[in-house]
Amino acid sequence: MESHTQSVSDAIQSSDYAGLSVIFTSQWQSLGQGEQRTLASHFIKTAIASPSFFPDAFRSPQIMSVITTTLNHLPPTVDGAADNVLRQKIFDFKVNEEEDYSTAARILSGSRMEENEGSVYYMPPVDRCDIFVKVAECYLGEDLTVEAEGAVTKAGTIIESTGISIISNAEEDGGTKDERTVTLMLRYKSVYARVLDANRKFLQAATKYHDLSTAYLHTDAIDADDLMSMLGKAVTCAILSPNSAQRQRVLGLVYKDERLSQLDVIPEFQSHSAVLTKMYLNRIVQKRELEQFESSLADHQKAIMADGLTIVERGVLEHNMVAVSHLYTSIYFTQLGELLGVVDAVKAEKVAAKMISDGSLSGSIDEVEGVLRFHPAKAKEESALLHW
């Protein structure tokens, strides 16, 4: 065994990638499990201690294969948590040099983290949370939303379970959060909102984005332009949200934000304030406004639903249906399709039937005449409830 460890040390010293590959492939198979763990631990500790082996070795497929093997065959503990140190180095290299975010996230998520302060793998809550936030950010960079949601959920669990322990004890009497913790919480809230958005949980995302755009309004934690971007995303998600009383409250919250009109000068959000205002005030959104708004959306926000409409087309259609109910007591579906501008009479009738069945529209359909009749009294009660 001593000869193997010496061979590993010599190969690391001379950056002999081929030699290390031979040791951890053909020679590796002749070792017992205990010897494999010892040799794996020795490789990692020696490689980390070497001033010249990394990061160049990360560019070698042979060494990356050796690293994978060693990380999968470690003893219960490695001195100095060297395996965690190695994972962090790989993470930094993959992100900064190769922009391979999914691999970076997978490597970092394998870090060993314990709450026992006597363990070599002990990490305070802030450090554990930081790892999962980094992992979530990387997965989002590759549009791996399921994996990102899993990571951000773990970060949230740490935040909820530790409570005051995430607050810095630098000032014991005041409980002031240190700069790192403030930044971490900001990153957590931001990535959480992005995960909700990416998973099309638009109503929740709108609330989170708006909270971010206001919570840090009078601090230097977020640049003013980024705050406006958060507000713009809040508007986007509010508009895309399914019709409900809660959505109306979120629309009202954003509508009353005094910064809303400032979005008009930002190319990405120049149609947002007009569309949101019409939605909140139950006015009809015109087809050109819909098209301008839709052109600013991300790919996941343009998904086509089972009925052939995009998310925003369906949302605007349902909104316009309610807006029309405030203007007419009855209307032919042919006229309704022309007025709505995005569907024909058949689709208009299907959407109206669904809205009536789920209670979001008060009315009835005369299939013989092809007429949609609204029930003003019930519609008024619904409107009052939405504004309550």
Side-chain angles (χ1 to χ4, degrees):
M1 184 63 193
E2 187 175 342
S3 63
H4 288 299
T5 56
Q6 186 60 50
S7 296
V8 168
S9 297
D10 292 342
I12 290 174
Q13 180 67 28
S14 60
S15 294
D16 181 3
Y17 302 159
L20 285 167
S21 179
V22 169
I23 293 171
F24 286 95
T25 51
S26 57
Q27 296 180 23
W28 179 257
Q29 302 303 322
S30 65
L31 300 177
Q33 289 185 355
E35 292 174 318
Q36 288 179 342
R37 294 190 185 99
T38 300
L39 193 61
S41 176
H42 176 75
F43 165 78
I44 289 176
K45 289 186 293 182
T46 306
I48 290 296
S50 171
S52 59
F53 191 66
F54 296 130
D56 289 345
F58 292 141
R59 296 185 173 89
S60 166
Q62 290 177 312
I63 295 303
M64 290 308 298
S65 178
V66 169
I67 288 173
T68 300
T69 298
T70 55
L71 287 176
N72 290 332
H73 294 83
L74 290 175
T77 60
V78 178
D79 293 345
D83 50 321
N84 279 1
V85 176
L86 175 58
R87 287 181 183 276
Q88 183 63 57
K89 284 181 177 291
I90 298 171
F91 174 84
D92 292 338
F93 180 82
K94 291 293 182 182
V95 169
N96 299 322
E97 300 295 328
E98 297 185 348
E99 297 184 356
D100 183 354
Y101 299 112
S102 60
T103 300
R106 180 175 51 79
I107 292 291
L108 190 63
S109 64
S111 300
R112 294 196 265 190
M113 296 172 274
E114 296 184 8
E115 299 179 34
N116 178 10
E117 294 187 22
S119 170
V120 70
Y121 293 107
Y122 168 73
M123 284 190 192
V126 170
D127 291 341
R128 284 183 278 131
C129 184
D130 182 52
I131 282 180
F132 287 121
V133 170
K134 284 179 179 176
V135 169
E137 289 170 336
C138 284
Y139 278 135
L140 275 181
E142 300 280 1
D143 292 327
L144 298 171
T145 56
V146 174
E147 292 83 352
E149 184 172 22
V152 80
T153 299
K154 290 177 181 177
T157 300
I158 293 171
I159 291 171
E160 291 176 6
S161 64
T162 55
I164 193 122
S165 62
I166 22 195
I167 293 182
S168 166
N169 0 348
E171 299 182 22
E172 294 180 358
D173 53 343
T176 305
K177 290 184 180 179
D178 61 25
E179 185 176 347
R180 183 185 174 220
T181 304
V182 170
T183 302
L184 174 61
M185 294 302 293
L186 170 59
R187 288 171 49 226
Y188 163 72
K189 291 178 180 179
S190 176
V191 77
Y192 185 31
R194 290 168 57 201
V195 165
L196 290 170
D197 184 355
N199 286 328
R200 300 175 193 164
K201 298 176 181 179
F202 295 121
L203 188 60
Q204 295 164 275
T207 302
K208 297 298 181 184
Y209 279 133
H210 191 259
D211 287 348
L212 273 169
S213 77
T214 56
Y216 297 88
L217 197 55
H218 303 294
T219 72
D220 295 329
I222 310 183
D223 184 78
D225 291 341
D226 291 333
L227 288 173
M228 289 304 299
S229 179
M230 293 290 183
L231 177 61
K233 291 177 179 178
V235 174
T236 298
C237 291
I239 292 171
L240 294 174
S241 302
N243 187 42
S244 67
Q246 188 178 358
R247 173 183 185 263
Q248 189 70 9
R249 285 194 289 271
V250 173
L251 287 174
L253 179 69
V254 182
Y255 171 76
K256 294 169 185 175
D257 193 308
E258 60 185 17
R259 301 168 296 158
L260 181 62
S261 61
Q262 297 176 32
L263 293 175
D264 296 344
V265 299
I266 304 176
E268 183 183 357
F269 304 117
Q270 60 184 358
S271 65
H272 285 46
S273 64
V275 174
L276 182 130
T277 297
K278 286 192 171 184
M279 286 199 157
Y280 179 65
L281 299 178
N282 282 321
R283 296 172 183 168
I284 295 175
V285 177
Q286 302 297 324
K287 184 177 181 179
R288 60 175 178 78
E289 293 171 320
L290 167 63
E291 291 173 346
Q292 188 176 14
F293 173 77
E294 193 166 21
S295 68
S296 70
L297 299 180
D299 289 342
H300 72 275
Q301 297 167 336
K302 296 179 180 179
I304 298 177
M305 311 304 284
D307 56 9
L309 297 172
T310 64
I311 295 172
V312 66
E313 283 175 343
R314 185 172 189 83
V316 170
L317 178 58
E318 291 183 353
H319 160 78
N320 281 349
M321 197 79 74
V322 174
V324 168
S325 72
H326 292 284
L327 301 174
Y328 296 83
T329 56
S330 64
I331 186 171
Y332 286 101
F333 280 110
T334 52
Q335 291 178 298
L336 181 60
E338 293 174 4
L339 188 61
L340 298 179
V342 293
V343 294
D344 55 27
V346 175
K347 281 189 178 178
E349 182 174 351
K350 288 182 178 179
V351 172
K354 181 181 181 302
M355 292 180 68
I356 291 171
S357 67
D358 65 24
S360 57
L361 180 69
S362 182
S364 58
I365 294 175
D366 185 333
E367 295 184 359
V368 176
E369 297 292 333
V371 172
L372 172 61
R373 304 186 192 282
F374 301 108
H375 300 167
K378 292 183 180 180
K380 186 175 181 180
E381 291 173 6
E382 173 73 9
S383 178
L385 176 62
L386 290 177
H387 288 277
W388 177 73

